[in-house]
Amino acid sequence: NADMQEYAEEALVEHLKENLQPKFDRNNKGLKNWPFSNSLTDAEVNSIMRTSMTRSDRYINMSNSGFSEADIKKAFNTPTEMRVFTWDGEVDTIMTPNDSMRYYKSFLQAGLISIEPSTGFVKAWVGGANIDHFAYDHVRQGKRQVGSTIKPFVYGSGIMMNVVKPGMVIPNIQYCVDLFDPSGNPDGQWCPRNSDGSGEGGTISIKKGLWLSKNNVAVYVMKQMGAIAGPKNVAKLMRDMDIELNDREVVPAMCLGSMDLSLFELVGAQATFVNKGIFNRPTAILRIEDRA
């Protein structure tokens, strides 16, 4: 949908430029190794920069042309004229390629996808803020830890296993899940707290637990399903919605979204709930026609 696509592109840029980037920049002031977190060591920063350098077109082209590693490093530390991205448009400047890499790492990134649940048709798809300077698709390529957005799948599995029922009320306490090692032997317990630090006490309905995204209620559901059967059933439900998980991700902690997924996978699967339980595979292309 051309109109929705245009609005989506504008909305993503506005959200980053006006709302998030200024806060990010203020947070980064005074960093000892800008724009990297102070929690990273110099060795870790150097490793990140080295990886960025070897993946760049400049490095690949120079390497293919026969330049030595020393010549390439010298080029990356030599000021040169270049045109760089800003939120207010491109500007001409002079900086070293190394400095330009640091400069681009200071920008926040985002992706956006809009799917019509009843058909699976993709109405808008924005891979990033600027395709000329950030040619990376944060919708399909980028994967991030999904956190609490996984919880509806946990509750859905609980309903399918008959451990979650309409109107169900449980004690509002901390719950633990028994853990097992790869051989099936007991390996302690996992007892997370609510991420917002909210207290516990009294009772809470399953519905309210989902509505307020309470960690203890999600853990309760996983505990009732079982430390082995629960994760496997959540993974099966997600597999039915085109989300494949690695074996190491199918563990009790998955009920709080410990796995990495793409926005494409997650939105496509979440649309199933809006569509009354019917999954439609996200579709971006109906057909391709030539001039005939």
Side-chain angles (χ1 to χ4, degrees):
N1 184 301
D3 290 335
M4 288 181 68
Q5 179 68 25
E6 182 179 354
Y7 292 141
E9 291 176 7
E10 292 175 356
L12 184 137
V13 171
E14 178 183 352
H15 185 54
L16 289 176
K17 177 183 176 182
E18 305 294 338
N19 299 330
L20 298 183
Q21 189 69 50
K23 297 176 184 177
F24 189 61
D25 291 341
R26 286 195 296 271
N27 180 74
N28 287 350
K29 282 185 177 179
L31 293 177
K32 65 179 182 180
N33 221 340
W34 177 91
F36 299 101
S37 167
N38 286 339
S39 64
L40 295 181
T41 65
D42 290 344
E44 288 171 327
V45 171
N46 290 337
S47 176
I48 293 171
M49 292 296 294
R50 167 71 184 173
T51 300
S52 297
M53 180 181 75
T54 56
R55 288 178 176 175
S56 69
D57 290 338
R58 184 187 298 270
Y59 182 94
I60 294 172
N61 291 336
M62 291 187 71
S63 181
N64 290 339
S65 297
F67 285 91
S68 67
E69 188 72 14
D71 289 335
I72 296 176
K73 286 183 178 180
K74 181 179 179 181
F76 269 81
N77 287 293
T78 301
T80 183
E81 294 182 355
M82 62 180 70
R83 174 166 290 187
V84 298
F85 168 85
T86 75
W87 288 115
D88 296 313
E90 294 181 333
V91 297
D92 294 319
T93 188
I94 297 176
M95 65 173 71
T96 70
N98 265 332
D99 286 340
S100 73
M101 290 192 301
R102 281 182 177 268
Y103 171 74
Y104 279 118
K105 287 184 182 299
S106 70
F107 287 96
L108 284 175
Q109 305 293 335
L112 182 154
I113 187 170
S114 177
I115 296 175
E116 185 176 61
S118 60
T119 61
F121 292 170
V122 174
K123 297 297 184 179
W125 182 325
V126 188
N130 185 290
I131 193 171
D132 294 324
H133 293 277
F134 305 108
Y136 182 84
D137 183 7
H138 289 274
V139 171
R140 193 66 183 264
Q141 290 178 293
K143 293 195 174 187
R144 296 290 181 271
Q145 198 170 55
V146 297
S148 291
T149 56
I150 203 68
K151 289 177 181 174
F153 303 102
V154 178
Y155 285 78
S157 296
I159 292 172
M160 294 171 67
M161 292 186 67
N162 204 33
V163 301
V164 172
K165 301 176 182 179
M168 193 170 177
V169 176
I170 64 172
N172 187 25
I173 59 175
Q174 184 182 29
Y175 292 96
C176 298
V177 175
D178 294 326
L179 302 179
F180 299 87
D181 63 22
S183 301
N185 300 313
D187 191 25
Q189 288 189 318
W190 177 63
C191 311
R193 291 281 186 179
N194 288 322
S195 59
D196 59 2
S198 60
E200 298 158 355
T203 60
I204 186 171
S205 68
I206 293 288
K207 177 180 178 180
K208 190 173 183 179
L210 175 58
W211 164 39
L212 296 178
S213 190
K214 293 292 187 181
N215 288 347
N216 61 326
V217 181
V219 173
Y220 167 85
V221 176
M222 181 63 80
K223 177 180 176 65
Q224 295 304 109
M225 290 191 290
I228 296 177
K232 287 185 176 180
N233 276 279
V234 175
K236 180 181 182 302
L237 177 62
M238 297 177 72
R239 195 176 301 117
D240 290 339
M241 303 178 203
D242 278 4
I243 296 178
E244 289 290 342
L245 300 176
N246 297 320
D247 289 342
R248 65 177 181 275
E249 296 172 321
V250 185
V251 294
M254 71 186 300
C255 71
L256 301 186
S258 55
M259 71 290 290
D260 293 335
L261 298 178
S262 70
L263 195 60
F264 180 88
E265 293 173 303
L266 187 61
V267 175
Q270 288 274 15
T272 306
F273 296 102
V274 188
N275 198 37
K276 300 180 180 179
I278 299 174
F279 171 70
N280 288 311
R281 185 169 286 107
T283 303
I285 299 173
L286 292 177
R287 61 186 179 273
I288 299 174
E289 298 180 353
D290 61 19
R291 63 183 180 177

